[in-house]
Amino acid sequence: MTDRLRFKGGVAVITGAASGIGTGLAHKALSLGMRVVLADIQEKALKDFAATLKGEVVTVATDVSDAASVEALAEKAYAAFGEVDLLFNNAGVMATGFSWEIEPARWDRSIGVNFYGVLHGIRSFVPRFLKAGRPAHIVNTSSVGGFLASPMMAPYSVTKYAVVALTESLRGELEMLKAPVGISLLAPGPVDSGIFNDPFGSNVRPEVQQFVDYLRKLLTEHGLSPDEFAELVFAGIKDGAFWIIPQPHAFDDGFRKRVDDILARRNPTTHQY
Ligand SMILES: NC(=O)c1ccc[n+]([C@@H]2O[C@H](COP(=O)([O-])OP(=O)(O)OC[C@H]3O[C@@H](n4cnc5c(N)ncnc54)[C@H](O)[C@@H]3O)[C@@H](O)[C@H]2O)c1
């Protein structure tokens, strides 16, 4: 099904497109001759980024945590280009801290953006894809953290696990319907982006600061650039891969250990930061 997916002349919708991975996806889509619809809650940053691009680009200020806003994004995308081939449910936010100290509003924001953002994308675009009856593809962004829960970022782990489950359920449903709609679960490892720009609530404990410093360093020193990362994502889409986990060094050993531990009923061990 994915071999008939249209890249050149096709249309890609990318949420969270004003920063980080979303910018890499936009660059790559345009380089393939796609038309793009860029969505983000940061309207100015989105427009500034779009102004750096060459090609057919539409920007739509969107809050992915709001169903009506995502429905308006779909309406505008179809109004602009008449069709959509590729949907990246990419927008995401980080929240760090001890689980019991993270304020409810920060939990809500994580659930709203990281989980409901993906669900709203699915609810607004899948019916349109099914109606169009031609090849389309969805990429839902989870994280390596969607398979390996981490201390001090529970809202992130919880919501990214949920995206894995949602995407696996959807894959089965699309297969049951024999729909010409492909789907991939994307689990990035470190990518140099803005994800750790605003990870704190009001109460920053030294342990949390240390954890965030460690992760920021990991991203800036060992992270791929968004453009390098986007190359790997599109390679996965072209291969028709469901699991797009482009950085095996950040995933395989940890996931194997987790599965082995569970199967052996062995207690988990926590990485020390
Ligand atoms: N960078 C990494 O190392 C890494 C690792 C694993 C997973 N991810 C995931 O990749 C995706 C992209 O993140 P990134 O690293 O490029 O981060 P980023 O912060 O650079 O970009 C995320 C974008 O999402 C936007 N956004 C936030 N809330 C939104 C909302 N309510 N509606 C619309 N847009 C909203 C932000 O404005 C920002 O432009 C996220 O889902 C993130 O969880 C990133």
Side-chain angles (χ1 to χ4, degrees):
M1 143 201 335
T2 42
D3 54 351
R4 290 186 290 118
L5 185 70
R6 207 162 50 124
F7 292 97
K8 192 169 170 48
V11 177
V13 174
I14 304 167
T15 69
S19 170
I21 292 172
T23 64
L25 296 172
H27 286 146
K28 181 64 189 173
L30 286 167
S31 79
L32 292 172
M34 299 191 85
R35 297 166 284 166
V36 296
V37 180
L38 306 181
D40 205 286
I41 198 166
Q42 295 189 69
E43 197 170 357
K44 181 171 182 318
L46 186 65
K47 289 221 163 99
D48 289 349
F49 171 58
T52 68
L53 300 173
K54 283 203 186 71
E56 288 189 66
V57 179
V58 168
T59 60
V60 184
T62 308
D63 177 355
V64 296
S65 69
D66 174 7
S69 182
V70 178
E71 183 60 18
L73 166 64
E75 278 164 15
K76 285 176 188 159
Y78 279 85
F81 293 132
E83 54 201 356
V84 174
D85 300 82
L86 248 179
L87 169 66
F88 291 97
N89 285 315
N90 165 75
V93 293
M94 175 58 67
T96 59
F98 286 89
S99 302
W100 59 93
E101 291 178 354
I102 296 172
E103 301 88 342
R106 289 183 71 77
W107 274 97
D108 285 347
R109 178 164 177 254
S110 294
I111 294 167
V113 179
N114 296 358
F115 173 68
Y116 274 108
V118 175
L119 182 63
H120 296 328
I122 294 305
R123 294 194 75 259
S124 287
F125 283 88
V126 170
R128 289 174 162 92
F129 290 164
L130 295 177
K131 189 165 168 227
R134 58 181 198 79
H137 198 89
I138 302 159
V139 178
N140 286 345
T141 300
S142 174
S143 169
V144 166
F147 296 85
L148 301 169
S150 164
M152 289 188 278
M153 47 190 255
Y156 193 76
S157 300
V158 165
T159 52
K160 294 298 185 177
Y161 267 62
V163 170
V164 175
L166 172 62
T167 309
E168 290 193 72
S169 294
L170 265 164
R171 194 209 62 78
E173 291 162 5
L174 293 168
E175 187 176 273
M176 283 168 69
L177 293 181
K178 297 189 174 42
V181 181
I183 186 157
S184 302
L185 185 284
L186 174 61
V191 178
D192 196 3
S193 77
I195 192 92
F196 277 103
N197 285 355
D198 174 32
F200 301 120
S202 52
N203 175 12
V204 188
R205 288 227 232 164
E207 299 91 331
V208 180
Q209 180 69 59
Q210 209 174 322
F211 172 72
V212 169
D213 289 346
Y214 166 85
L215 286 176
R216 278 187 176 141
K217 196 158 176 261
L218 185 75
L219 261 54
T220 49
E221 290 182 7
H222 302 288
L224 294 178
S225 72
D227 287 343
E228 290 167 329
F229 186 72
E231 288 290 332
L232 303 173
V233 177
F234 273 82
I237 298 169
K238 285 183 177 167
D239 284 349
F242 176 75
W243 302 111
I244 305 183
I245 308 178
Q247 294 147 286
H249 58 280
F251 179 83
D252 291 12
D253 288 349
F255 187 65
R256 197 173 290 113
K257 180 174 182 311
R258 168 177 160 74
V259 172
D260 287 348
D261 282 350
I262 295 171
L263 290 174
R265 313 301 192 263
R266 204 164 36 233
N267 290 352
T269 44
T270 303
H271 180 79
Q272 295 304 314
Y273 297 97

